[in-house]
Amino acid sequence: MAVEELSVVLPRVLIVSRRTVRKNKFVDFVGEYHLDLIVSYGAVPVIVPRVSGVHLLLDSFEPIHGVLLCEGEDIDPSLYNDELSDLSVEELEEIRRLHASDTAIDKEKDTIELRLAKLCLERNIPYLGICRGSQVLNVACGGTLIQDIGKEISKNLPENQRVVHMDYDNYDGHRHVIQVVEETPLHHWFKDSLEDEKMEISVNSYHHQGVKKLAQRFVPMAFAPDGLIEGFYDPDAYNPAEGKFIMGLQFHPERMRQEDSDEFDYPGCTFAYQEFVKAVVAYQKKLLSTTTIEKPLKLNQEMEKKRKIIVRSFSLARDLYEKGCTFQSSKTSDLDVGAEFLESNTALSLQQETRLKQMGATVRNASSYLQRLKMNEEKERLGRKLMGKMSVEQLSDLKTFYNMMGQICCEVLERKLQDLMTLDEEF
């Protein structure tokens, strides 16, 4: 397959960038692990920049075959909190101090990602949410979030049930245990790595918030020892082979790699991306089966020259009909080219016929129109010549007569149109 055709064939996965500051300037970025996995399984990542106004331009990113939303700042609490937080002002200030890089709310990113998540839910576009992306999915469906795990969960638990969900000093190496729910996609992906009866794996995570109230449509796939939901999915929208995939993972399977190596902790770590892309490919095939994508026709030099001559003929005819512009007799042959083309291609498609009508006419009657135009010009010349010989009184009477006839014509026309409308209402 030619390299230039790959971008047409491969499905597109939208990923929203995250903003940071580098050399006193904003820089948008996406984690390379996400991009590598999407590409390796056969899709093209399309980065949606986190810049002002992009949420109004999402139609420009069509076709969308999948959406992957990953890490980022905390979601604006006003988008999900349906009850007052029990956290004090002092506690909120402490949270902002401890998690300064995450608590700086990015409303533009919130808007972009929530619109994409809702678009996926409306059109059943495959969606994979990692970390923040899982929280976005829950909020988009009416769920809520814990604003800080340490303040709202950990402090109320005995020491042996508390879980460290993030380690600023050991981002890649940090792990904590989760318990996998049986007969869920996560169970099938990691079944060869689960010990008998334990159903536990160690995962990498980096978050201080999480799911509080899980949206009704979702089913949990894993829990941390402190009770926090670590993964969920929509069972009614999960069948990768049929293009269905709606899922959120709070942990980072893409980062679960052995130290100084690209080897994953478990064989199942890549399955989320593999099955997601499988759904993306299937979704694209469904779209292609219902949509005809026309490839541009490549013409040789001679055919391209003929095409331009015919297009010029149509343009001249359009100007005649729409603008009533004067026409030089020397250009009559240019109109003939279009007329001949239409005569030799009478079996036009409905789309072609519609387009020609929008241009003003089908050019088929261009010659007769030109003749009528010349006749009108001759009548106008004779009329002016005749009126030039008439007296002022005769011209005044003639003008009065035609004004009266115009008024009568308007009254009769209005009455006839009213009769037609009355007839339509009766039927």
Side-chain angles (χ1 to χ4, degrees):
M1 182 179 295
V3 175
E4 61 268 18
E5 294 180 358
L6 285 177
S7 61
V8 178
V9 175
L10 295 180
R12 296 153 51 92
V13 174
L14 267 56
I15 308 177
V16 180
S17 66
R18 185 178 184 181
R19 171 177 280 188
T20 188
V21 177
R22 184 172 180 268
K23 296 181 180 180
N24 299 319
K25 298 290 187 297
F26 285 122
V27 175
D28 282 20
F29 71 96
V30 174
E32 189 174 350
Y33 283 157
H34 301 295
L35 304 178
D36 283 343
L37 287 165
I38 292 298
V39 171
S40 67
Y41 289 117
V44 174
V46 177
I47 297 177
V48 179
R50 181 255 157 264
V51 293
S52 298
V54 166
H55 65 278
L56 300 173
L57 305 174
L58 294 179
D59 288 345
S60 301
F61 290 91
E62 298 281 2
I64 302 171
H65 304 121
V67 171
L68 167 64
L69 298 185
C70 38
E71 55 266 44
E73 294 79 2
D74 294 348
I75 299 172
D76 185 352
S78 66
L79 296 172
Y80 60 83
N81 257 0
D82 57 353
E83 56 189 48
L84 295 176
S85 173
D86 293 330
L87 298 174
S88 67
V89 175
E90 292 76 15
E91 286 176 318
L92 290 173
E93 285 298 326
E94 185 180 357
I95 292 169
R96 294 189 188 100
R97 181 177 54 80
L98 291 173
H99 308 292
S101 63
D102 296 312
T103 53
I105 291 171
D106 187 340
K107 291 190 176 182
E108 186 68 29
K109 185 175 173 70
D110 289 348
T111 303
I112 296 170
E113 294 192 341
L114 281 170
R115 288 201 178 189
L116 282 175
K118 291 176 181 179
L119 181 67
C120 290
L121 296 167
E122 291 169 4
R123 288 163 45 180
N124 293 317
I125 298 173
Y127 178 103
L128 174 59
I130 302 292
C131 194
R132 169 191 157 99
S134 67
Q135 298 173 9
V136 170
L137 178 60
N138 187 48
V139 170
C141 293
T144 62
L145 302 179
I146 297 166
Q147 291 195 46
D148 185 74
I149 296 169
K151 298 295 183 185
E152 297 185 54
I153 293 183
S154 299
K155 72 174 185 179
N156 300 319
L157 294 174
E159 190 69 31
N160 63 342
Q161 290 184 18
R162 296 179 183 180
V163 177
V164 177
H165 289 273
M166 67 189 312
D167 185 347
Y168 285 110
D169 297 323
N170 188 21
Y171 180 54
D172 291 322
H174 176 64
R175 300 286 187 275
H176 71 79
V177 171
I178 64 171
Q179 185 167 28
V180 177
V181 178
E182 291 188 55
E183 300 305 321
T184 62
L186 206 61
H187 176 212
H188 297 306
W189 298 344
F190 288 91
K191 62 181 179 181
D192 294 336
S193 304
L194 296 169
E195 297 181 13
D196 293 340
E197 298 182 0
K198 269 197 169 183
M199 297 291 288
E200 291 180 351
I201 58 173
S202 293
V203 299
N204 171 265
S205 68
Y206 188 84
H207 60 99
H208 78 103
Q209 296 190 327
V211 171
K212 185 174 186 178
K213 183 184 75 175
L214 186 64
Q216 188 173 0
R217 67 184 292 169
F218 297 125
V219 171
M221 296 194 297
F223 294 90
D226 58 7
L228 190 74
I229 296 173
E230 290 284 341
F232 58 88
Y233 79 118
D234 183 348
D236 295 325
Y238 182 81
N239 190 330
E242 294 183 0
K244 298 178 180 180
F245 192 104
I246 301 291
M247 181 178 295
L249 299 177
Q250 183 62 74
F251 63 95
H252 287 268
E254 81 284 357
R255 302 192 69 91
M256 291 162 56
R257 308 183 186 219
Q258 297 180 18
E259 188 175 359
D260 299 325
S261 170
D262 279 338
E263 186 176 348
F264 287 94
D265 294 354
Y266 308 101
C269 288
T270 62
F271 281 16
Y273 291 84
Q274 185 176 341
E275 294 300 289
F276 169 63
V277 173
K278 180 193 290 186
V280 168
V281 171
Y283 183 82
Q284 182 199 34
K285 289 181 179 178
K286 285 199 298 186
L287 286 187
L288 291 175
S289 66
T290 57
T291 307
T292 302
I293 300 178
E294 297 182 0
K295 293 186 177 180
L297 180 65
K298 295 183 179 179
L299 304 176
N300 58 34
Q301 191 171 1
E302 182 180 356
M303 290 294 292
E304 178 63 17
K305 183 178 179 180
K306 290 182 179 180
R307 184 191 70 81
K308 288 181 178 179
I309 292 174
I310 292 171
V311 169
R312 172 173 168 72
S313 178
F314 290 165
S315 297
L316 288 171
R318 178 195 59 197
D319 291 341
L320 278 172
Y321 277 82
E322 292 184 352
K323 301 176 183 178
C325 59
T326 57
F327 192 79
Q328 300 176 14
S329 59
S330 61
K331 294 185 179 180
T332 304
S333 59
D334 291 334
L335 278 176
D336 292 340
V337 173
E340 289 173 5
F341 171 77
L342 289 170
E343 291 299 332
S344 62
N345 294 275
T346 53
L348 294 175
S349 68
L350 179 61
Q351 184 179 5
Q352 288 171 321
E353 288 284 1
T354 302
R355 176 59 184 148
L356 290 173
K357 289 176 182 178
Q358 290 173 345
M359 289 171 62
T362 61
V363 196
R364 220 181 281 274
N365 59 347
S367 296
S368 61
Y369 175 79
L370 188 60
Q371 291 176 358
R372 290 198 305 273
L373 187 63
K374 289 180 178 180
M375 289 177 62
N376 289 339
E377 290 175 352
E378 180 64 19
K379 289 179 180 178
E380 183 180 347
R381 186 184 66 81
L382 292 173
R384 288 181 180 278
K385 184 178 179 180
L386 178 61
M387 289 182 186
K389 298 178 180 180
M390 296 174 67
S391 65
V392 173
E393 290 78 7
Q394 289 175 321
L395 288 171
S396 180
D397 291 341
L398 186 62
K399 181 181 178 182
T400 301
F401 172 76
Y402 279 110
N403 285 340
M404 179 182 65
M405 294 301 293
Q407 185 177 355
I408 294 172
C409 181
C410 290
E411 293 173 356
V412 174
L413 179 60
E414 184 177 355
R415 187 169 63 252
K416 287 182 175 293
L417 290 174
Q418 187 64 41
D419 290 343
L420 287 173
M421 291 175 64
T422 304
L423 187 62
D424 288 340
E425 292 175 357
E426 292 176 354
F427 281 97

